[in-house]
Amino acid sequence: MSTEEVVAATAPQQLTSKASKTERRNLRALSWGHALEWYDWAIFGLLSVYLGAAFFPSDSPLASTLNALAVFAVGFVARPLGGVVFGFVADRYGRRKIMIFAVGAVALGSFIIGILPDFQTIGVLAPIIVVAARLLQGLSAGVEAPLGTAYALELVPNRPGYVAGFFAFFNNLGNLLAPLSIFFISLLLGPEALAAYGWRIPFLVGGAFGLIVLWLRRTLPETLDTAAIRTVGAIPTKNNSVWRDVRKYWLSVLATVFIVGAIQAYNYTWIAGLPNLANGTFGEDPTAVFAITTGMGIFLTLGAYGLSRILDRFPMSRWFVVARLLAIPTIFLALLYSQPGVGTLAGVMFGGAIVLLLNMTIFVVVSNSLLPQHIRGTGLGLGYGLGVAIFGGTASYLLLWLQSQGMMWIFPIYIATLCAISVVLYVLAKNRNGLFVGK
């Protein structure tokens, strides 16, 4: 029996031990980087109205916002390339250095956007630099999320549900800190100052926070040669062809594209699409909008902590199928917000957040479960990057565009179809290749 087959066979029985103090410290070093990534991507999406006015000026506020959201999507386009290139390096030469690079690149891109002069000052150079910064962040984010979770599962192989909840807590914390910081800046400075210069402050905070995460990650151990020893007493063969085995598990990679893409499209609809629809199209009070998104962030953060305590009680495969099927009807709540109304917006955001919580907590660990350890960096980098780039990064833009064309009803049908496909492909990949993490 091969190493990966042994891992697949024994993983379900290894769910009883608790994470040690060292394991929790390593998880924090990794998960704070995840929090920074989600914070960074959330603030760009939430502040697209102001970024559009600063770097992509237009006579139409909607056009400026759509241009900024297009650049938001550009960052996602770079994710597959970053995931494949750096994931391959991580599979061949180790995880630690790649994870340090990833968080450094995200922080640098955030800092650049925070200090960059606007279009009126330096002209066309401004949007070019913004695009370059987003590409840099996209390359790093392409490996940060999939490889970071794979790394964590190698560090704590016996509790996939705990790892899922732990990471989701910090991911949601990043999403929470983004609207929370903007809310307080808007409250303290006022809407006019926020539009003029206050929007830069969250980006500068993200750049500074990246330095702290770099310091935390300096002591992370390497796992490439030790993860298999801890689980089955064997070392993956260095001479294995990574790409040959990625092709062997092509169905698992394809399933990952839709597992990730469907829920990220749902996610970015809630954290960026609907808030930008409220601010840019319906002219809602930005302080009220950011208060709603902050409240949703608190719910998701605390909810992930609670889920980390119970997820290991049931098979991860069962959690996934139930959660993803529930997402299909829930996405249609977005249709209720078809005209201005802060109360309606709040009801839609919190109603959809319940199902979003469970899906976002488990989707990366579920993707990890479909691939053996020695190709997770490459396989997940490719699948995760394509899923986010094709479906997640374009969701906000698509939502606003369809709404402007009077065809918003198409959007939830599109997301629901993605969710259904993800369930079918997951079941097919699980039955064909087995599971390598959890059960």
Side-chain angles (χ1 to χ4, degrees):
M1 183 178 290
S2 66
T3 298
E4 59 262 32
E5 289 171 338
V6 174
V7 174
T10 59
Q13 282 75 45
Q14 298 176 336
L15 300 176
T16 56
S17 63
K18 295 183 179 180
S20 68
K21 182 178 180 180
T22 299
E23 288 172 333
R24 289 194 298 271
R25 184 184 68 235
N26 290 333
L27 286 180
R28 283 193 293 270
L30 286 170
S31 53
W32 272 118
H34 274 35
L36 174 62
E37 180 203 339
W38 285 70
Y39 168 87
D40 170 82
W41 288 77
I43 59 173
F44 197 103
L46 289 169
L47 295 171
S48 292
V49 171
Y50 309 109
L51 291 166
F55 301 118
F56 308 94
S58 172
D59 293 335
S60 167
L62 176 60
S64 294
T65 302
L66 288 174
N67 286 336
L69 286 173
V71 177
F72 183 62
V74 163
F76 289 98
V77 173
R79 281 192 168 194
L81 179 60
V84 169
V85 172
F86 297 116
F88 177 79
V89 173
D91 282 337
R92 292 303 302 271
Y93 303 107
R95 317 305 202 195
R96 181 176 175 272
K97 291 181 180 179
I98 294 299
M99 297 310 298
I100 290 175
F101 157 79
V103 74
V106 169
L108 178 61
S110 186
F111 183 74
I112 289 173
I113 294 173
I115 65 172
L116 182 66
D118 62 18
F119 185 91
Q120 299 299 327
T121 304
I122 61 175
V124 72
L125 190 60
I128 291 175
I129 294 176
V130 171
V131 171
R134 292 301 292 171
L135 287 172
L136 175 64
Q137 292 177 320
L139 288 172
S140 62
V143 73
E144 169 69 38
L147 181 63
T149 305
Y151 196 2
L153 289 167
E154 293 164 7
L155 290 168
V156 188
N158 300 330
R159 300 194 66 197
Y162 177 76
V163 170
F166 195 97
F167 268 69
F169 172 82
F170 281 91
N171 292 346
N172 291 321
L173 183 61
N175 272 337
L176 169 61
L177 291 176
L180 185 63
S181 63
I182 300 169
F183 169 71
F184 280 114
I185 291 170
S186 176
L187 192 64
L188 293 174
L189 300 181
E192 292 184 2
L194 175 65
Y197 64 88
W199 61 266
R200 295 180 180 273
I201 298 174
F203 287 98
L204 297 176
V205 170
F209 183 58
L211 298 177
I212 298 174
V213 179
L214 283 173
W215 182 81
L216 290 174
R217 288 190 174 181
R218 78 193 191 285
T219 59
L220 283 173
E222 182 53 63
T223 62
L224 186 61
D225 289 334
T226 60
I229 293 175
R230 295 179 61 187
T231 55
V232 296
I235 301 176
T237 303
K238 279 286 188 177
N239 294 327
N240 279 351
S241 170
V242 172
W243 281 110
R244 182 195 66 205
D245 285 353
V246 168
R247 289 192 296 271
K248 175 183 175 183
Y249 289 94
W250 66 268
L251 184 57
S252 294
V253 175
L254 180 61
T256 298
V257 172
F258 283 88
I259 290 170
V260 173
I263 201 57
Q264 286 288 29
Y266 187 137
N267 177 51
Y268 281 104
T269 299
W270 253 246
I271 69 171
L274 290 174
N276 274 292
L277 182 64
N279 286 327
T281 302
F282 293 154
E284 307 279 18
D285 177 12
T287 301
V289 173
F290 292 131
I292 292 170
T293 55
T294 300
M296 188 182 76
I298 293 173
F299 168 76
L300 293 175
T301 303
L302 296 179
Y305 176 80
L307 285 176
S308 71
R309 305 290 175 170
I310 64 173
L311 284 175
D312 283 323
R313 298 179 184 179
F314 300 98
M316 196 63 66
S317 57
R318 188 182 303 169
W319 283 114
F320 170 74
V321 172
V322 171
R324 195 54 57 94
L325 290 178
L326 287 173
I328 293 175
T330 307
I331 189 64
F332 286 88
L333 287 174
L335 292 178
L336 296 177
Y337 189 55
S338 59
Q339 58 186 2
V342 171
T344 303
L345 175 65
V348 169
M349 295 282 281
F350 281 96
I354 298 172
V355 173
L356 183 64
L357 166 64
L358 182 54
N359 276 279
M360 288 300 293
T361 299
I362 65 177
F363 82 101
V364 183
V365 168
V366 168
S367 299
N368 269 277
S369 72
L370 296 174
L371 290 165
Q373 185 252 353
H374 70 285
I375 61 168
R376 278 188 199 140
T378 309
L380 281 174
L382 177 60
Y384 191 103
L386 287 174
V388 173
I390 297 171
F391 304 116
T394 58
S396 299
Y397 186 99
L398 184 61
L399 173 67
L400 266 68
W401 183 81
L402 286 172
Q403 195 279 333
S404 70
Q405 301 299 311
M407 298 187 297
M408 189 174 171
W409 60 270
I410 295 176
F411 187 79
I413 296 176
Y414 162 68
I415 304 297
T417 302
L418 293 179
C419 290
I421 293 173
S422 70
V423 173
V424 173
L425 289 175
Y426 171 76
V427 173
L428 291 175
K430 180 172 77 75
N431 291 339
R432 174 173 176 168
N433 299 325
L435 297 179
F436 300 89
V437 178
K439 32 179 186 172

